[in-house]
């Protein structure tokens, strides 16, 4: 690379000699001033931003080329194509520059490329589906990751003791446990890239993807603990160190979640006061979410868990406070950043693989690792699912277990962690790097290519991409209240009971504190849904080439209410203008009728008056018991 400015086409000033170029730095003693340069090559001043823009441009063009053919993208996942493109680009750079450049650096990956992907996943994650399956997600993320890490590391050490790994791989049991901790965690970037194209059912997707997000805390703790034990030496490890390792698991995970929730609270509270400065609303969302990630990383907590909980906890209040234009800006900016980061990650993975100076090959280690991660993953899923099915209302069947076992993809997180190993402390680092590259490529390319045919062959239930109708939402509220009431009557404080208590607490305290007064007061959800469906259908009609009204003749209410929506709905305006388009909504009549009033009354009954948790006062119960005892019925 050119590191110094190179004056080209220099034009001397009048009266100055232009026969020789200066051999010393301009402005040095005894040197005449340089002539006026028409053009200067200043690559070093723009090198970093230019390369960033160039990589994003290449990645975007690659995505465009890939999607020109539907046959290619329907058979081969985009992540596989990007890795293959990275291998080609890495080979070209290696052939031209005679050395590997532009590799995936751990610092760049963890601080700049990973946060947008995790923020997008946490912010747009379906919260109800996530919390409905939180027990299963935590089981697979915590117990499953510990199981995979220790069994894989111990099995590889046993393979070495049996002589199936070459003697040049100098690694102790602690070294193999360290390697098992980083190679066993399911990667969120790889899972998101592959599973979004497979379109499995929502429950299966949220379990695997939730596991890939929440197992970061376990992976971070295991990696740091094992790495510290390796640096200390097995002979110097005391019993107190093992207890500290167990305590750090709770500290890293709960601390990361707490940091995310604190910043979610600050973000929601800040957006409550941005009514007159709408322009900075999207900026606040990204800055505070990124600050949550950096704060957790600075405190050695789980940064992935922090930004996930930040996005998950703040969305409801932020969406209610910011304007419609700000919501659109946040959505598409977040999706764009996540897509660009994901594309660059897979390309850099392919480019990094061509640098043979950083890895060494051992067939026994590579084949053994591939076999053990697949075997112990499948065995762990079967055992944990058997336990979970004893408590789940809808059990996970064998087909779901096959997909979960086969969907345990590894990716850039494992590669970045193995690059961070110290070669002086871990002599087998080069062999671990080569094995990690093979595992990542195998899971992303081979499993990514075959998981879609596997899903079709097993006839796995696919996701249904449609929003629930108003009738479905009413029935869902009804069943929630009924199940919460049943749990309260029988004296069992289960999931529905605590969810109902949380909704009451949120309605009474959090929403009033974190939402603007106008956003909180006008929360007639039945008409809010009516309003949004009108807008969606109108936009869809216009996109299909229909002509509704002029911009001056079509006005929609800024705040949804029963009277305003019924009087100025898109469908009524279409009818008044004589349009032949039929935009009647799913279950709502466009004319104010008795049915509308009944639905509104039913909705308010479900939200506020059908069921509320009973407050058990022991003093009142004791007084009532004594009263009935002293005055028995006739």
């Amino acid at each position: 690379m050119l590191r110094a400015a190179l004056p080209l086409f220099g034009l001397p000033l009048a009266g100055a000699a232009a026969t020789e170029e200066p051999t010393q730095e301009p402005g040095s003693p005894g040197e005449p001033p340089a002539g006026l340069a028409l053009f200067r090559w200043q690559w070093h001043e723009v090198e970093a931003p230019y390369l960033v823009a160039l990589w994003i441009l290449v990645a975007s063009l690659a995505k465009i080329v890939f999607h020109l053919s539907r046959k290619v993208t329907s058979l081969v996942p985009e992540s596989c194509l990007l890795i293959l493109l990275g291998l080609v680009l890495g080979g070209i750079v290696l052939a031209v520059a005679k050395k590997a450049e532009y590799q995936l650096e751990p610092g760049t990956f963890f601080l700049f490329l990973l946060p947008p992907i995790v923020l997008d996943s946490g912010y747009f994650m379906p919260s109800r589906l996530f919390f409905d399956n939180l027990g299963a997600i935590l089981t697979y993320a915590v117990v499953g990751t510990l199981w995979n890490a220790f069994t894989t590391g111990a099995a590889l050490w046993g393979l070495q003791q049996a002589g199936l790994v070459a003697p040049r791989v100098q690694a102790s049991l602690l070294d193999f446990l360290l390697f098992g901790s980083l190679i066993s965690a399911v990667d969120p970037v790889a899972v998101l890239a592959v599973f979004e194209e497979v379109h499995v059912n929502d429950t299966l997707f949220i379990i695997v993807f939730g596991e890939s997000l929440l197992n970061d805390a376990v992976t971070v703790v295991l990696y740091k603990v094992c790495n510290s034990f390796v640096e200390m030496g097995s002979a110097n490890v005391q019993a107190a160190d093992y207890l500290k390792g167990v305590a750090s698991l709770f500290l890293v995970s709960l601390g990361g979640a707490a940091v995310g929730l604190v910043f979610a609270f600050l973000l929601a509270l800040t957006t409550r006061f941005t009514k007159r400065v709408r322009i900075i609303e999207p900026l606040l969302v990204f800055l505070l979410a990124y600050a949550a990630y950096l704060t957790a990383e600075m405190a050695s907590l789980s940064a992935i868990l922090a930004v996930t909980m930040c996005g998950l906890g703040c969305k409801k209040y932020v969406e209610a406070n910011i304007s419609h234009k700000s919501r659109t800006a946040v959505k598409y900016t977040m999706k764009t950043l996540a897509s660009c980061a994901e594309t660059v990650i897979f390309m850099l993975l392919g480019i990094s693989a061509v640098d043979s100076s950083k890895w060494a090959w051992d067939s026994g280690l590579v084949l053994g690792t591939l076999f053990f991660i697949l075997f112990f993953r499948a065995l762990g899923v079967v055992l944990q699912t058997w336990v979970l099915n004893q408590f789940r209302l809808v059990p996970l069947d064998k087909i779901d277990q096959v997909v979960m076992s086969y969907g345990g993809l590894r990716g850039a997180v494992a590669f970045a962690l193995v690059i961070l190993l110290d070669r002086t402390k871990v002599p087998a680092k080069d062999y671990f790097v080569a094995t990690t590259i093979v595992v990542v490529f195998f899971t992303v390319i081979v499993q990514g290519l075959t998981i879609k045919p596997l899903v079709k062959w097993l006839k796995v239930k696919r996701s249904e991409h449609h929003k629930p109708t108003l009738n479905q939402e009413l029935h869902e509220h009804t069943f929630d209240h009924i199940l919460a009431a049943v749990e309260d009557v029988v004296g069992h404080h289960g999931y529905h009971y605590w969810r109902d208590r949380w909704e009451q607490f949120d309605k009474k305290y959090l929403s009033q504190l974190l939402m603007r007064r106008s956003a909180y007061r006008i929360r007639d959800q039945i008409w809010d849904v009516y309003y949004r469906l009108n807008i969606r259908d109108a936009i869809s009609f216009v996109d299909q080439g229909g002509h509704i009204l002029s911009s001056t003749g079509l006005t929609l209410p800024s705040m949804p209410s029963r009277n305003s929506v019924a009087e100025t709905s898109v469908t009524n305006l279409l009818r008044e203008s004589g349009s032949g388009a039929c935009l009647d909504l799913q279950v709502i009549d466009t004319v104010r009728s008795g049915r509308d009033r009944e639905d509104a009354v039913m909705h308010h009954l479900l939200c506020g008056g059908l069921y509320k948790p009973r407050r058990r006062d022991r003093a009142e119960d004791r007084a009532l018991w004594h009263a009935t005892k002293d005055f028995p019925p006739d």
Side-chain angles (χ1 to χ4, degrees), residues 153-154 157-158 160 171-178:
W157 179 75
Q160 183 198 45
S172 62
L173 176 60
L174 281 178
D175 295 333
F176 281 114
L177 290 177
L178 173 61

Side-chain angles (χ1 to χ4, degrees), residues 169-243:
V169 182
Q170 301 177 5
S172 62
L173 176 60
L174 281 178
D175 295 333
F176 281 114
L177 290 177
L178 173 61
F179 178 64
S181 66
L182 65 91
I183 203 64
S184 300
V186 180
D187 185 76
V189 182
V191 170
L192 187 65
V194 173
F195 270 66
E196 280 192 339
E197 299 185 18
V198 177
H199 301 299
V200 295
N201 62 81
D202 295 335
T203 301
L204 197 56
F205 173 78
I206 201 66
I207 288 178
V208 179
F209 182 59
E211 174 196 356
S212 67
L213 286 175
L214 300 189
N215 68 8
D216 170 72
V218 182
T219 303
V220 169
V221 171
L222 285 179
Y223 178 82
K224 291 184 177 180
V225 169
C226 293
N227 197 22
S228 300
F229 287 173
V230 169
E231 294 177 354
M232 294 167 55
S234 58
N236 299 323
V237 178
Q238 306 295 327
D241 297 323
Y242 293 105
L243 296 177

Side-chain angles (χ1 to χ4, degrees), residues 29 65 188 196 211 214 216 243 313 331 333 337 376 453 480 491 496 510 565-566 587 618:
V65 173
E196 280 192 339
E211 174 196 356
L214 300 189
D216 170 72
L243 296 177
K331 176 181 178 180
T333 303
L337 292 176
F376 289 119
D480 287 343
H496 298 280
L510 289 182
V565 174
V587 291
R618 293 184 178 179

Side-chain angles (χ1 to χ4, degrees), residues 5 10 42 151 379 428 456 466 531:
Q42 299 180 1
T151 53
L379 183 59
K456 291 182 179 179
H466 73 277
Y531 171 79

Side-chain angles (χ1 to χ4, degrees), residues 83-144:
I83 285 182
L84 295 177
L85 177 62
L87 287 172
V88 174
L89 292 178
I92 295 175
V93 172
L94 183 62
V96 173
K98 304 302 180 182
K99 62 178 181 179
E101 296 184 354
Y102 314 120
Q103 298 187 21
L104 182 62
E105 298 294 336
T108 303
F109 170 74
F110 283 114
L111 295 180
F112 300 105
L113 295 178
L114 187 59
I117 300 175
V118 181
L119 175 61
D120 174 69
S121 305
Y123 193 81
F124 294 103
M125 181 180 292
S127 57
R128 181 186 177 93
L129 189 63
F130 176 79
F131 287 108
D132 283 348
N133 297 276
L134 184 59
I137 292 173
L138 288 176
T139 301
Y140 291 120
V142 179
V143 180

Side-chain angles (χ1 to χ4, degrees), residues 45-353:
E45 296 184 4
V46 298
E47 178 182 0
Y50 195 91
L51 287 177
V52 172
L54 185 61
W55 278 117
I56 296 176
L57 177 62
V58 171
S60 302
L61 294 177
K63 292 172 74 73
I64 294 175
V65 173
F66 294 157
H67 287 276
L68 290 178
S69 175
R70 290 188 177 182
K71 293 183 178 180
V72 176
T73 53
S74 61
L75 297 176
V76 184
E78 187 179 287
S79 56
C80 303
L81 296 173
L82 291 171
I83 285 182
L84 295 177
L85 177 62
L87 287 172
V88 174
L89 292 178
I92 295 175
V93 172
L94 183 62
V96 173
K98 304 302 180 182
K99 62 178 181 179
E101 296 184 354
Y102 314 120
Q103 298 187 21
L104 182 62
E105 298 294 336
T108 303
F109 170 74
F110 283 114
L111 295 180
F112 300 105
L113 295 178
L114 187 59
I117 300 175
V118 181
L119 175 61
D120 174 69
S121 305
Y123 193 81
F124 294 103
M125 181 180 292
S127 57
R128 181 186 177 93
L129 189 63
F130 176 79
F131 287 108
D132 283 348
N133 297 276
L134 184 59
I137 292 173
L138 288 176
T139 301
Y140 291 120
V142 179
V143 180
T145 304
L146 292 173
W147 162 268
N148 293 332
F150 285 111
T151 53
T152 302
L156 289 175
W157 179 75
L159 205 66
Q160 183 198 45
Q161 298 300 310
L164 298 178
V165 176
R168 60 178 178 272
V169 182
Q170 301 177 5
S172 62
L173 176 60
L174 281 178
D175 295 333
F176 281 114
L177 290 177
L178 173 61
F179 178 64
S181 66
L182 65 91
I183 203 64
S184 300
V186 180
D187 185 76
V189 182
V191 170
L192 187 65
V194 173
F195 270 66
E196 280 192 339
E197 299 185 18
V198 177
H199 301 299
V200 295
N201 62 81
D202 295 335
T203 301
L204 197 56
F205 173 78
I206 201 66
I207 288 178
V208 179
F209 182 59
E211 174 196 356
S212 67
L213 286 175
L214 300 189
N215 68 8
D216 170 72
V218 182
T219 303
V220 169
V221 171
L222 285 179
Y223 178 82
K224 291 184 177 180
V225 169
C226 293
N227 197 22
S228 300
F229 287 173
V230 169
E231 294 177 354
M232 294 167 55
S234 58
N236 299 323
V237 178
Q238 306 295 327
D241 297 323
Y242 293 105
L243 296 177
K244 291 179 182 179
V246 175
S248 63
L249 174 61
F250 295 95
L251 178 63
V252 170
S253 56
L254 298 179
V259 169
L261 292 177
V262 168
F263 276 89
F265 179 86
L266 294 176
L267 177 55
L269 188 62
T270 304
T271 54
R272 183 183 178 182
F273 305 100
T274 58
K275 185 177 181 179
R276 300 185 183 276
V277 280
R278 297 291 193 186
I279 195 67
I280 67 170
E281 287 175 341
L283 182 63
L284 287 174
V285 174
F286 291 102
L287 282 181
L288 287 176
Y290 190 50
Y293 185 91
L294 295 180
T295 303
E297 189 71 25
M298 178 177 59
S300 299
L301 304 175
S302 175
I304 292 180
L305 196 56
V307 74
T308 300
M309 297 306 296
C310 179
L312 193 62
C314 75
K315 183 185 178 183
K316 172 184 175 181
Y317 311 102
V318 170
E319 294 283 312
N321 290 333
I322 64 178
S323 65
H324 177 71
K325 292 181 179 179
S326 297
R327 289 196 295 269
T328 304
V330 169
K331 176 181 178 180
Y332 287 102
T333 303
M334 199 174 292
K335 294 292 184 184
T336 301
L337 292 176
S339 178
C340 291
E342 179 183 304
T343 304
V344 172
I345 285 172
F346 285 113
M347 287 183 60
L348 291 179
L349 274 176
I351 293 175
S352 302

